[in-house]
């Protein structure tokens, strides 16, 4: 007898599957903050921990200030997709930035995957990293027709090979017949994000960084110490002074950095995960174990976990996570999963959770300095690789190097007419607009 949808998600509570598989490093809650450090890093996710590891390996004194715990935010809540490219298509990027800068951006996006792989190898992080490639599937014929144009441009302009998969061949990539074709990039990878961020945390600590959990930054102000310019930082665990501040708070950017908060839109993304699936069924659903996402604005993304669960995510509710949006999202995502994979109609949903993505108004990654502070934000769902890369590159910049980083210095827009103070009142309208675009485009 088949089970109803209500039975399959009844009594489901928010529970992050990835965290059940990882051991997050613990820190000493009684340890006092240092009086001064060379660099204070706000946020103990991919960005902040990557920066802390790089700076500490170079001998700098580093304090990482985290309002919750290591990896608590999007770094442990995402789908574990280590993707090439950026959120925007290459033709749009060329129209915005020209050929030369777009080439450098695209090359950097490929380098981000190598950056993650190198850190995992150097630090021996056990996080199921695999170059399984990603598959983008077309929800409409016009989306598929655009794939051929993209493949041609990327091969010609960026010397990177993608592969178009015709609709009648798509069953070699995915066990679903609702799509019009696909596009494969073999360079992308998958990993367990909770194990990865835990490994980054251990690597940063091993290199000499001090990580302070439950140390919410409440205020920042310019203040010299013994004739040296720097910052006085007020936290929930007391004050400290730092010569430089680096902000890597992504979708959890708050009022302590208002100029940055006004440029970042926090958008909720939600994930469900099934019970462990039979091996034959798992192979049918994803024969090549790809990281998969569709061509919609209001997209779905999905993959198999290493223990053969189907992980299925999307922008089911645009608002950041809370009990109500998580529960509602579980129901929406289960219906979406069954639309893609009717084979999973009777599969029990065992985990559901949400996280908050950071979107800039131009849907681009941004890094550099703002109000005298260093920052890197705006990953728009491509954060596993880009955040790691930006943390490393910005650390090199803070240390006095001149690393190649094409995302530093590009225009970083705020809301039109200043109609945004960090509270995303317009998200319901944005969600409706993207659904409309998916209908007409």
């Amino acid at each position: 007898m088949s089970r109803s949808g209500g039975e399959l998600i009844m009594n489901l509570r928010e529970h992050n599957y990835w965290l059940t598989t990882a051991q997050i490093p613990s820190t000493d809650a009684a340890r006092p903050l240092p009086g001064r450090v060379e660099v204070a890093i706000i946020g103990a996710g991919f960005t902040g921990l990557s920066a802390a590891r790089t700076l500490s390996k170079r001998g700098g004194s580093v304090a990482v200030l985290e309002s919750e715990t290591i990896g608590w935010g999007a770094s442990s809540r995402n789908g574990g997709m280590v993707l090439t490219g950026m959120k925007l298509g290459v033709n749009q990027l060329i129209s915005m930035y020209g050929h030369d800068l777009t080439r450098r951006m695209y090359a950097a996006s490929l380098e981000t995957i190598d950056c993650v792989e190198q850190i995992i190898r150097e630090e021996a992080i056990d996080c199921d990293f695999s170059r399984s490639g990603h598959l983008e599937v077309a929800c409409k014929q016009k989306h598929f027709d655009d794939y051929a144009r993209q493949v041609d441009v990327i091969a010609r302009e960026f010397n990177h090979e993608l592969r178009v998969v015709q609709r009648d061949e798509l069953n070699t990539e995915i066990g679903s017949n609702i799509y019009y074709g696909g596009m494969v990039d073999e360079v992308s990878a998958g990993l367990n994000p909770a194990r990865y961020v835990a490994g980054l945390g251990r690597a940063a600590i091993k290199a000499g960084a001090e990580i302070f959990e439950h140390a919410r930054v409440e205020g920042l102000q310019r203040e010299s110490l013994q004739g040296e310019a720097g910052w006085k930082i007020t936290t929930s665990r007391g004050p400290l002074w730092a010569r430089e501040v680096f902000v890597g708070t992504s979708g959890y950017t708050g009022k302590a950095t208002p100029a940055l908060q006004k440029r970042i839109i926090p958008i909720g993304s939600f994930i469900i995960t099934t019970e462990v699936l039979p091996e034959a069924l798992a192979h049918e659903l994803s024969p090549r174990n790809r990281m998969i996402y569709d061509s919609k604005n209001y997209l779905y993304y999905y993959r198999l976990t290493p223990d053969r669960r189907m992980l299925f995510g999307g922008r089911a509710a645009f608002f950041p996570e809370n009990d109500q949006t998580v529960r509602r999202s579980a129901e929406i995502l289960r219906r979406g999963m069954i639309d893609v994979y009717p084979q999973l109609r009777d599969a029990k949903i065992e985990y559901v959770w949400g996280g908050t993505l950071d979107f800039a108004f131009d849907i681009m990654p941004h890094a550099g300095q703002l109000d005298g502070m260093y920052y890197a934000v705006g990953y728009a769902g491509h954060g596993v690789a880009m955040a790691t890369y930006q943390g490393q590159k910005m650390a090199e910049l803070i240390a006095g190097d001149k690393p190649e980083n094409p995302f530093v210095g590009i225009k970083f827009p705020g809301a039109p007419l200043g109609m945004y103070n960090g509270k995303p009142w317009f998200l319901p309208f944005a969600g409706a607009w993207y659904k409309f675009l998916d209908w007409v485009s």
Side-chain angles (χ1 to χ4, degrees):
M1 179 183 295
S2 66
R3 294 172 286 184
S4 71
E7 291 173 320
L8 290 167
I9 62 174
M10 187 178 296
N11 300 320
L12 192 62
R13 296 292 181 267
E14 181 174 9
H15 196 190
N16 182 344
Y17 160 74
W18 296 123
L19 288 177
T20 68
T21 71
Q23 185 173 356
I24 306 296
S26 59
T27 60
D28 184 356
R31 187 176 189 180
L33 270 63
R36 63 178 291 166
V37 291
E38 291 176 347
V39 183
I41 296 173
I42 307 177
F46 295 144
T47 306
L49 295 174
S50 176
R53 171 184 178 269
T54 300
L55 284 165
S56 298
K57 280 180 172 288
R58 300 175 69 128
S61 60
V62 176
V64 182
L65 307 171
E66 167 57 49
S67 62
E68 299 289 344
T69 55
I70 291 171
W72 177 88
S75 294
S76 66
R77 298 169 187 258
N78 62 83
M81 299 185 178
V82 192
L83 303 175
T84 60
M86 286 156 282
K87 184 68 175 176
L88 299 180
V90 291
N91 291 321
Q92 187 173 356
L93 289 170
I94 290 170
S95 70
M96 292 168 63
Y97 299 108
H99 285 76
D100 180 64
L101 182 54
T102 301
R103 283 192 194 98
R104 292 192 289 122
M105 288 177 171
Y106 200 88
S109 86
L110 300 178
E111 188 180 339
T112 65
I113 317 294
D114 295 334
C115 176
V116 171
E117 186 172 33
Q118 182 178 357
I119 290 172
I120 289 170
R121 183 172 59 249
E122 289 178 355
E123 303 295 346
I125 301 174
D126 179 11
C127 61
D128 299 306
F129 179 86
S130 173
R131 292 266 193 168
S132 50
H134 81 245
L135 168 70
E136 181 177 354
V137 284
C139 296
K140 295 184 178 182
Q141 183 63 46
K142 64 175 70 174
H143 298 174
F144 179 72
D145 293 341
D146 187 56
Y147 287 168
R149 292 188 287 270
Q150 288 187 55
V151 167
D152 180 62
V153 171
I154 290 170
R156 184 178 68 250
E157 299 285 348
F158 312 129
N159 195 32
H160 182 61
E161 298 296 328
L162 304 178
R163 178 167 57 86
V164 170
V165 183
Q166 300 292 331
R167 187 172 191 173
D168 61 0
E169 300 171 337
L170 200 56
N171 62 354
T172 64
E173 293 284 347
I174 182 173
S176 176
N177 62 8
I178 69 170
Y179 297 113
Y180 290 79
M183 181 169 60
V184 170
D185 190 330
E186 300 283 359
V187 172
S188 293
L191 52 64
N192 179 319
R195 286 185 179 176
Y196 176 53
V197 77
L200 271 181
R202 283 189 288 269
I205 293 168
K206 178 183 174 183
E210 295 184 276
I211 301 176
F212 298 92
E213 298 176 299
H214 303 293
R216 181 179 300 276
V217 174
E218 298 170 340
L220 293 145
Q221 64 183 68
R222 283 289 200 180
E223 185 175 286
S224 296
L225 182 65
Q226 298 175 345
E228 185 177 11
W231 296 88
K232 180 183 178 182
I233 306 165
T234 306
T235 83
S236 56
R237 287 180 59 172
L240 75 158
W241 182 92
R243 178 170 51 81
E244 304 288 0
V245 171
F246 175 52
V247 185
T249 45
S250 295
Y252 300 86
T253 300
K255 60 184 179 180
T257 54
L260 199 57
Q261 185 185 29
K262 291 175 183 178
R263 288 171 167 82
I264 291 295
I265 309 166
I267 294 180
S269 188
F270 300 85
I271 292 174
I272 57 174
T273 303
T274 68
E275 62 192 339
V276 175
L277 303 175
E279 186 173 354
L281 176 57
H283 181 76
E284 175 189 339
L285 300 177
S286 184
R288 301 178 188 269
N289 201 25
R290 304 289 195 197
M291 306 294 107
I292 307 174
Y293 59 91
D294 68 34
S295 60
K296 300 191 303 295
N297 292 290
Y298 218 82
L299 59 75
Y300 292 132
Y301 55 92
Y302 43 100
R303 58 168 293 189
L304 294 173
T305 64
D307 63 347
R308 298 198 314 272
R309 301 172 187 271
M310 175 55 66
L311 179 153
F312 196 92
R315 318 279 189 266
F318 258 49
F319 278 114
E321 75 276 8
N322 59 47
D323 289 344
Q324 183 178 357
T325 56
V326 167
R327 173 71 187 192
R328 177 167 168 259
S329 295
E331 298 167 351
I332 294 171
L333 289 173
R334 180 181 175 274
R335 291 197 297 269
M337 182 182 73
I338 293 170
D339 286 343
V340 176
Y341 290 123
Q343 306 96 308
L344 294 177
R345 185 174 302 277
D346 292 330
K348 182 182 178 183
I349 306 302
E350 292 193 344
Y351 299 92
V352 58
W353 68 97
T356 302
L357 305 178
D358 57 332
F359 277 69
F361 282 89
D362 59 357
I363 320 180
M364 286 294 293
H366 291 274
Q369 280 187 283
L370 185 63
D371 291 344
M373 290 176 285
Y374 293 92
Y375 69 89
V377 292
Y379 306 127
H382 284 242
V384 179
M386 186 61 75
T388 303
Y389 173 87
Q390 289 296 349
Q392 179 175 297
K393 291 298 180 182
M394 292 305 295
E396 293 169 357
L397 181 65
I398 293 168
D401 293 348
K402 296 181 179 179
E404 165 65 12
N405 188 345
F407 304 99
V408 170
I410 63 174
K411 184 179 179 182
F412 192 177
L417 306 176
M419 297 174 61
Y420 176 57
N421 64 357
K423 294 183 179 180
W425 54 269
F426 48 78
L427 285 185
F429 305 101
W433 172 246
Y434 281 123
K435 286 183 177 179
F436 173 74
L437 289 179
D438 286 333
W439 179 59
V440 300
S441 64

